[in-house]
Structure formats: structure tokens, C-alpha cells
Amino acid sequence: MLVGREKMRTFMKIRISLPVVALLAVWASEFAVAQTKPNPGSDVILGLEAKWNAAYGRGGIATMNSLLADDFIITVEDGSTLSKSGYIAHYGDSTVHVEISEMSDLRVRMHGKTAVVTGAYHEKGTSKGKPYEYRDRFTDVWMNMNGTWQVIASHYSIPARE
């Protein structure tokens, strides 16, 4: 009789485990599909990045002003920081002429009302008549505040040489 009870317990464990395993398999497949679906929020952020880049290239102060949060802070290649007003004044300078301003390898990570963008940046131009060229990596942090996406922080660094 003891053998019969052990077989019955084993059978019951298997019978209970199979639906749990099946449920986990379904959940895992739905999670995998969800991860491959494009996120419409990412498209919005990429569009805003492009808008900011275009405004920067042509000195579009009004556009930059609308995209940057009032407490925006940027850290540039030499480690110095600029506030929103400092950034706009510096890059709205009429002696700066941007010839190339391009982003690549853009990746957006959405976290609710916050988006983190990473990528590569290349800029070439003249400042006060002297040529310059940057090749950087950057991180931008966007936040949706009252229905409007704005950049709250940006960080540029020179990539390590390989």
C-alpha cells in the first residue's frame, strides 16, 4: 500500500507541475515578443534628438530652449559643465560655424517617463576662425514633464582609443 501512495504522490506532483511549466513557457514567449516590438516612445525620443541636433547645427536657439529643461546640465569633453543658459549662449555664438553634426549608433532605453539615449557623435566646424573636430560618445537623459519631453542632462566624452 505504501508503494501505491508514493506513486500517487509522484503522479500528483507531475500533474500539478505540468500546468505551471506550461504557464511559464507561455509567459516567457509573450515576454520575448514584447521585447522585440518597437517602442513608440523610442521613436518620439529619436525624433527629438534629431530636432535638437538640427537646431544645434543651425544655431536654433528657440528650438533648443524648448527642448532643454530649465535645470538642464551638460558635461562636455573636458569635464566642464554648462547650464541651459550657458549652453545656449555658447552654441548660439555667431563665431561658431558647424559644418558636420551627426549622430550614430543611437540606442534608446525607456523607463516610464524617463528615456536614456546613448550614441556616437561627430562634429566638425570652425570656432572663432579655427577649425575643430570632435568624435564623442554621449548620453542624454530625457524626461516627460507634464506631457512634454525635455532633456534634463547630457554627457559627452571622448571615447577611449582601442
Side-chain angles (χ1 to χ4, degrees):
M1 191 71 163
L2 210 55
V3 175
R5 283 188 183 158
E6 286 301 317
K7 283 185 178 179
M8 184 60 107
R9 282 187 187 151
T10 303
F11 176 73
M12 291 303 289
K13 285 180 184 176
I14 292 171
R15 210 169 141 189
I16 291 170
S17 298
L18 285 176
V20 171
V21 170
L23 182 62
L24 287 173
V26 168
W27 175 80
S29 67
E30 287 179 6
F31 181 76
V33 169
Q35 295 301 310
T36 59
K37 288 182 183 175
N39 186 331
S42 296
D43 293 340
V44 169
I45 298 301
L46 289 174
L48 291 170
E49 283 282 345
K51 185 176 180 180
W52 181 16
N53 191 44
Y56 169 78
R58 68 175 190 287
I61 293 172
T63 300
M64 285 193 283
N65 191 47
S66 71
L67 293 174
L68 307 179
D70 288 339
D71 61 348
F72 169 80
I73 188 92
I74 185 169
T75 304
V76 292
E77 298 83 359
D78 67 2
S80 62
T81 59
L82 297 168
S83 65
K84 177 180 180 174
S85 59
Y87 174 81
I88 289 174
H90 181 73
Y91 292 105
D93 183 344
S94 63
T95 64
V96 176
H97 300 283
V98 179
E99 298 165 16
I100 297 171
S101 174
E102 57 192 10
M103 298 179 296
S104 60
D105 192 27
L106 296 177
R107 297 175 199 268
V108 179
R109 289 157 188 86
M110 301 297 295
H111 301 279
K113 292 186 173 199
T114 305
V116 178
V117 181
T118 57
Y121 180 73
H122 175 222
E123 181 178 326
K124 184 177 180 179
T126 58
S127 177
K128 297 180 175 99
K130 295 180 181 179
Y132 71 88
E133 185 168 12
Y134 302 117
R135 291 188 185 276
D136 301 329
R137 294 294 304 174
F138 73 91
T139 301
D140 291 336
V141 181
W142 293 80
M143 184 173 278
N144 190 322
M145 297 178 280
N146 302 318
T148 301
W149 285 100
Q150 290 187 309
V151 185
I152 60 171
S154 187
H155 185 274
Y156 282 73
S157 63
I158 301 169
R161 300 285 179 227
E162 295 182 28

